[in-house]
């Protein structure tokens, strides 16, 4: 993604300027050609020599350094950029851009660029929450700039709060999202479920399954990368929450059913990747069942709701996607589920195959569509399959809205 891309990295004078060195280094390692512009304050915090060594290019700082050259510095950098990243972005540079002030190399160049701009604010919490700073960031967003949310945590001023420079990998992900530029799901609301339900026997025991949640999380991430507003209903707490995705948690099938139905009407696309237990114990105990009290234990099971079937029955505008976890006659069972649950698309995975299904990082899938079309895919990472699914969902939503 970053190979041969021209990235202009603007560094303004926040204490997190030193963290931008790591960002520059990662961008270069990923193949980008990075040109750095520093404000005078940034150059007092980190030496321009450091950025020069890391990027392999002289750092631009003063407006009139290279007046002998005809390619006026700020204009050539502004023109060459595929992406302009300002990291860290202080309240000062944000305010300048929002007010149309161009009085140094960085503010002048960003004003002159037509490249997409990614702003990475980092500052003390009170400054970040200041209404003028908030208003300025909103102005930038309205003008089409991408303004990241800072992290929360320990700050250089020895306080806790929002304002920390985000992790390098999060900035890279946001930059990738901009450079990919497809935005196939822009303005769309996508609802995804992930993980395996846990059906309570007593406070310490449950009936579960082997789903890790990785497939659903990969789809949620891919939908976010296509610019969707994503809600993920997760039946696991073992995975890190994907950035930019709203995560709500459900424990058992009935909890998942309630959340999916609550969020269903507002969704444009719904992908049910969760592994739902078909049965639950008819009775569960609020106290731990003691083995001393029972030489054997009969657990009677009763059917859980078929969540997806319920969603299919009351489908209005949603593009509805299910999975089928099968061990034999995968396509035939998949087709039957597509019909019975009134789905628009179904991903059938043969969970008996090595490298497919539960708790691995790869999957082997066939995508079945309403009307009989089918695509078969070789083994691939769940991230890659997630991207394909997000793409197909975007196509499906688009067709439906034509
Ligand atoms: O989480 P991972 O470790 O990454 O594994 C991924 C996965 C194997 C769990 C995933 O790829 C997958 O196949 N998910 C669906 C598992 C499943 O429940 O399959 P099923 O064939 O039993 O159900 C068919 C569809 O109906 C599924 O979309 C399921 O979410 C839904 N369902 C099933 C039962 C039920 N009571 N309610 C439902 O909504």
């Amino acid at each position: 993604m970053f190979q041969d891309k021209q990235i202009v990295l603007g560094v303004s004078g926040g204490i997190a300027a030193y963290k931008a060195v790591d960002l520059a280094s990662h961008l270069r390692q990923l193949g980008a050609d990075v040109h750095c512009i520093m404000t005078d304050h940034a150059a007092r915090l980190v030496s321009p020599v450091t950025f020069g060594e890391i990027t392999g290019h002289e750092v631009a700082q003063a407006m009139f350094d290279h007046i002998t050259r005809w390619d006026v510095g700020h204009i050539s950098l502004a023109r060459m950029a595929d992406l302009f990243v300002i990291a860290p972005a202080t309240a000062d540079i944000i305010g300048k851009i929002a007010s149309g002030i161009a009085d140094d190399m960085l503010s002048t160049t960003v004003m002159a660029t037509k490249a997409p701009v990614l702003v990475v604010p980092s500052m003390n919490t009170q400054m970040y929450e200041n209404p003028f700073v908030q208003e300025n960031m909103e102005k930038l967003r309205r003008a089409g700039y991408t303004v990241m949310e800072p992290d929360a945590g320990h700050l250089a001023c020895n306080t806790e709060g929002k304002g920390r420079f985000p992790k390098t990998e999060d900035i890279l992900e946001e930059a990738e999202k901009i450079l990919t530029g497809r935005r196939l799901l822009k303005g769309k609301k996508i609802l995804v479920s992930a993980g395996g339900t846990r059906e309570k026997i007593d406070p310490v025991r449950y009936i579960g399954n082997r789903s890790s949640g990785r497939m659903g999380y990969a789809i949620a991430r891919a939908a976010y990368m296509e610019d969707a507003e994503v809600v993920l209903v997760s039946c696991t707490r073992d995975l890190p929450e994907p950035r930019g995705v709203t995560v709500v948690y459900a424990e058992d099938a009935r909890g998942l059913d309630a959340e999916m139905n609550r969020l269903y009407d507002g969704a444009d696309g719904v992908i049910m990747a969760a592994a739902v237990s078909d049965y639950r114990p008819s009775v569960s105990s609020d106290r731990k069942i003691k083995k001393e009290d029972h030489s054997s234990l009969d657990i009677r099971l009763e059917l859980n709701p078929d969540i997806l079937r319920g969603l299919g029955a009351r489908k209005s505008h949603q593009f509805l996607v299910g999975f089928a976890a099968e061990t034999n006659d995968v396509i035939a069972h998949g087709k039957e589920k597509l019909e019975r649950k009134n789905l628009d698309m179904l991903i059938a995975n043969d969970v008996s195959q090595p490298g497919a299904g539960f708790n691995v990082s790869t999957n082997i899938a066939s995508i079945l569509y309403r009307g009989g079309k089918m695509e078969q895919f070789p083994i691939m990472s769940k991230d890659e399959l997630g991207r394909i699914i997000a793409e197909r969902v975007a196509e499906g939503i688009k067709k439906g809205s034509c």
Side-chain angles (χ1 to χ4, degrees), residues 63-243:
M63 283 292 287
F64 303 110
D65 268 0
H66 305 293
I67 198 72
T68 48
R69 284 210 318 251
W70 282 107
D71 59 336
V72 184
H74 66 285
I75 298 298
S76 68
L77 285 173
R79 277 203 192 125
M80 71 159 55
D82 293 306
L83 174 67
F84 205 118
V85 183
I86 306 178
T90 57
D92 182 61
I93 189 71
I94 291 169
K96 274 188 193 170
I97 302 169
S99 312
I101 295 171
D103 66 350
D104 64 4
M105 190 65 169
L106 179 53
S107 52
T108 313
T109 313
V110 76
M111 187 178 272
T113 195
K114 287 197 168 160
V117 180
L118 171 60
V119 179
V120 187
S122 174
M123 64 196 80
N124 155 276
T125 309
Q126 276 75 30
M127 289 177 76
Y128 180 71
E129 288 172 352
N130 177 287
F132 297 116
V133 175
Q134 287 290 327
E135 194 180 317
N136 287 337
M137 288 190 297
E138 211 34 59
K139 266 192 187 172
L140 298 193
R141 287 195 179 102
R142 279 201 301 274
Y145 290 47
T146 302
V147 182
M148 278 184 81
E149 291 277 315
D151 282 355
H154 186 78
L155 300 174
C157 49
N158 211 18
T159 55
E160 297 284 323
K162 199 165 181 180
R164 265 173 77 94
F165 192 72
K167 292 190 276 303
T168 297
E169 72 225 45
D170 290 347
I171 301 173
L172 291 174
E173 188 181 282
E174 202 59 50
E176 185 182 336
K177 185 177 166 195
I178 296 170
L179 284 171
T180 312
R182 302 195 308 175
R183 301 187 161 197
L184 295 176
L185 287 165
K186 186 169 175 52
K188 301 297 174 200
K189 293 186 174 158
I190 301 297
L191 175 61
V192 185
S193 70
T197 59
R198 294 176 170 198
E199 308 297 328
K200 181 179 166 187
I201 297 171
D202 71 11
V204 294
R205 303 179 180 96
Y206 60 84
I207 295 175
N209 59 63
R210 295 171 50 224
S211 169
S212 62
R214 287 196 211 182
M215 190 67 248
Y217 273 60
I219 297 167
R221 262 195 312 274
Y224 170 73
M225 292 298 273
E226 295 294 356
D227 231 11
E229 204 180 300
V230 187
V231 180
L232 172 65
V233 185
S234 177
C235 301
T236 175
R237 291 177 190 265
D238 292 342
L239 297 176
E241 293 188 358
R243 208 175 53 76

Side-chain angles (χ1 to χ4, degrees), residues 193-196 209-216 253 272-278 304-309 321-326 337 341 346-347 349 351 357-360 363 382:
S193 70
N209 59 63
R210 295 171 50 224
S211 169
S212 62
R214 287 196 211 182
M215 190 67 248
M272 191 76 188
V276 187
S277 175
D278 288 317
N304 263 328
D306 187 326
I307 303 167
L308 191 54
R309 193 170 183 188
V321 181
F323 269 78
E326 304 293 345
K337 282 179 181 167
K341 301 194 185 201
L346 179 135
I347 299 107
N349 37 203
V351 295
F358 296 106
N359 207 11
V360 283
N363 209 348
K382 283 181 178 169

